[in-house]
Amino acid sequence: MTYRRAVIPALVGGLLITLLLWWAGASTRALQLPGTGTVFDAQSASELRRWLAPWAYPSRDMPPSGGSTETTWTASTQYADLYRTAMQIRYVAVFAFFLAGALLLLRRIPPTRGRTPATLLALWAWGPVAGTLAVTVSAPWLIASMGRGSFRVLPQLASVTASSGPVVVFAALLASVLTVVAARLTAKGTDPVPRRSAPPRAARLAASAGTAVIAFSLVILSYESVAARIQTSAGGSGLLSEPGDLLRQWLLLGGWTGPSTTPLGHWLLYRAADVVMLAVVWWALRVLPGLLTRTTAPAMAVGAVCATVLGLLASQLLHMAMDDTVTVWGPVYLFSKLGENVPAALTFGGAAGLVAFGVLRLAGGALPVAAGQHPGGETRTVAEDVHR
């Protein structure tokens, strides 16, 4: 699919996920209405407010919680314009990041016959990545609007980075479905690009190398004692003091310890979720070269990021199936872990994609597109390709 054909569905998806997040943020005020208690219990309403808070605009006439004097009210609203600027940057950024990723994914994995499920999953996984990047870009304005811009900046930045929440996962699912539908409509009338099968040995080697990068974070760096050293060993001073929280967000895909404090069977059950994640990543990296219309480093990097996020979602869904705290905390709490560790997935997923691409090239698996066949589905002569 050419960029000209991909831009319309990408715009549709970007607008939809932005509008869905704006609507979700605007719904925060509805949870404060008097009748909310008859629909949600206290724990569920509190959890929903936590989900929606990163995308919510503050009300000008809403007094601060816990009661306030006029002085407190003035102090709490003096940075309101800066906060609105942060939210405006956040919404523009989530639109721009989703648009950029959707353009690349639709270009390299067009939703034609045999590729539609992969396109849908990749776009869905890219949604939480776009949300994470958006909250990260807008974090400096948000931190400054709280009036504590010079106090523990890096831990605050880490907290904001991890705050996109499960709402982005659900919004991305709806946006990806509509994006694929729009892409199918715009792709009508074009010749579908047949799937290429990469050499099995090269594809397996590339998938194994990329999965090893993910396992380095999930198995080694995320081990409790190693993670503690990462979080406490880095030093700094002034505004750059305490970088441990930020390193944890961007380097750790999970957290685990030995079975000494838990029954062995229960410990193995939770480790099965990590195995599922690595299996999903390996399988996705194994089939990715055959799905791409052209194997390039950016396409492999973005595809590996999406594969890592899909692996995270699969492991989190398995954790949800094993969770027995729903009766205590309410059904909403069941989805509270959905979409976590996306910053680390972005870090190591991108690295895994580049490593897989390098191994694929060395093993002879990154084959060029057939002569005369443009990756977007258009047939051109050799002279046209040279001039372009």
Side-chain angles (χ1 to χ4, degrees), residues 89-107:
I89 293 173
R90 181 167 296 185
Y91 283 115
V92 172
V94 75
F95 170 78
F97 283 122
F98 187 88
L99 175 65
L103 274 174
L104 180 60
L105 290 171
L106 291 173
R107 166 78 164 165

Side-chain angles (χ1 to χ4, degrees), residues 27-38 49:
S27 302
T28 307
R29 301 173 189 175
L31 295 174
Q32 300 173 351
L33 297 176
T36 305
T38 62
R49 281 194 293 268

